[in-house]
Amino acid sequence: MDSYKRSNPTEPGLVDDYASGPPRKVQRPLNHGSPPPSNSALQPTQPIENSDPPQTIEGVLQQNDLLKQQLAMVLEFIERSDLVSNAPASIRTLLDARPKNVKAIAETISSRIAKAHRRLAEKVCNAERSGVTSDDISGAMVPLIHEIDQLANMGQPDSLKLAYELIIKLTESSYAGLGDDSHSCGFGDRPSDKPADELLMSLIERRLNSGHSWDIAEDLKNLDEDAEYLEDYGIRPWCPKSRSLLREKVLSLKNETPAIS
């Protein structure tokens, strides 16, 4: 119970009056200067009217700029919060028309990949009981392949690089729980493997044709190691077209390297 301290035991607003007979307490208002409340105070709150519209061209332009800034903030929030698919068609039209921040879009896709994987991975680790396998994770990745393809075609300086990194992350996130449960690897019904491989191969070609330079040999090594690991669990072939293209490029680079005399 909260402590209740008061130096004067007399209740607020109550004073002793000895004018007529024994002491008694008389109720008096606390604020003698305020008028009694009117009935209007009990009425529902009236809506606050908008401020008057600007009366000058400069004022109209300033208000227009402010509205544009607020709209841009709302649209960015929708994109970052992964709400685009739930937005009305009119809002999606505005989203498609706005200048694209490819890094923000890439971050959103990366977050969605992680979220889709996390949502199913725990169930895959107990696949015999849950019935959820790596095949289901693969299926959850399919819509994101299209989004990565759209990102690659935005024509921004970092579009291809970001899309390339995302499709590799997607392939690595398309399975879970291997070795934890004999059923976790699924039954070979992996709808994301083929389109992911084809997009990755396309992005490799486009980056090479655009003069991009990156550690191709390291990426090939990682993909080969993944393929060897996954083959033990019946997940095969693993990115065969992409690995073949990378291997061809690595060999080509080795042949182009001048011999040391």
Side-chain angles (χ1 to χ4, degrees):
M1 182 179 296
D2 294 336
S3 60
Y4 188 76
K5 298 181 180 179
R6 190 182 300 279
S7 58
N8 185 347
T10 304
E11 298 179 34
L14 300 176
V15 297
D16 291 333
D17 192 337
Y18 294 91
S20 58
R24 63 188 180 87
K25 291 184 177 180
V26 180
Q27 182 72 45
R28 293 181 181 171
L30 290 175
N31 189 347
H32 300 285
S34 301
S38 64
N39 291 338
S40 61
L42 304 178
Q43 299 302 318
T45 304
Q46 298 298 320
I48 300 175
E49 298 200 5
N50 295 329
S51 58
D52 293 335
Q55 301 297 319
T56 65
I57 295 178
E58 182 180 357
V60 172
L61 293 176
Q62 289 178 349
Q63 187 178 63
N64 186 52
D65 290 341
L66 177 61
L67 291 173
K68 285 182 178 180
Q69 292 174 11
Q70 292 174 336
L71 177 60
M73 292 172 62
V74 170
L75 296 177
E76 183 176 354
F77 173 80
I78 291 173
E79 288 183 335
R80 286 186 175 276
S81 303
D82 193 18
L83 298 173
V84 176
S85 59
N86 298 324
S90 57
I91 298 298
R92 290 200 299 272
T93 300
L94 293 174
L95 289 166
D96 291 339
R98 70 192 296 255
K100 301 301 181 183
N101 183 339
V102 292
K103 289 185 178 180
I105 294 172
E107 289 174 2
T108 299
I109 297 174
S110 179
S111 176
R112 294 187 65 190
I113 291 172
K115 183 178 179 181
H117 179 270
R118 189 166 52 248
R119 178 171 55 87
L120 297 172
E122 186 175 345
K123 297 178 181 179
V124 171
C125 294
N126 192 17
E128 187 173 4
R129 176 174 297 181
S130 68
V132 178
T133 71
S134 288
D135 291 351
D136 297 294
I137 300 182
S138 174
M141 297 294 163
V142 171
L144 299 171
I145 296 174
H146 177 63
E147 293 187 19
I148 296 172
D149 187 27
Q150 287 184 316
L151 173 65
N153 292 312
M154 286 182 178
Q156 302 296 322
D158 291 332
S159 296
L160 292 176
K161 177 179 180 291
L162 292 170
Y164 176 83
E165 293 171 350
L166 283 171
I167 196 64
I168 289 180
K169 176 177 180 175
L170 182 143
T171 61
E172 294 174 344
S173 302
S174 67
Y175 56 88
L178 304 183
D180 294 334
D181 189 300
S182 59
H183 298 79
S184 63
C185 57
F187 307 95
D189 181 17
R190 297 181 50 80
S192 69
D193 286 358
K194 184 177 179 180
D197 183 30
E198 290 178 347
L199 178 55
L200 178 56
M201 180 187 67
S202 171
L203 291 170
I204 293 169
E205 290 177 335
R206 292 173 64 182
R207 292 193 71 188
L208 291 172
N209 292 336
S210 299
H212 289 201
S213 177
W214 76 99
D215 197 340
I216 298 172
E218 181 66 19
D219 286 355
L220 175 62
K221 175 176 174 291
N222 292 335
L223 285 172
D224 283 346
E225 289 176 352
D226 290 344
E228 183 178 357
Y229 169 73
L230 294 171
E231 188 171 11
D232 292 340
Y233 297 96
I235 300 178
R236 60 179 182 267
W238 187 250
C239 300
K241 294 181 179 180
S242 301
R243 289 164 58 211
S244 176
L245 179 58
L246 286 174
R247 199 177 318 280
E248 178 184 331
K249 183 60 179 176
V250 168
L251 291 174
S252 173
L253 290 174
K254 286 183 178 180
N255 292 334
E256 292 174 4
T257 303
I260 300 177
S261 56

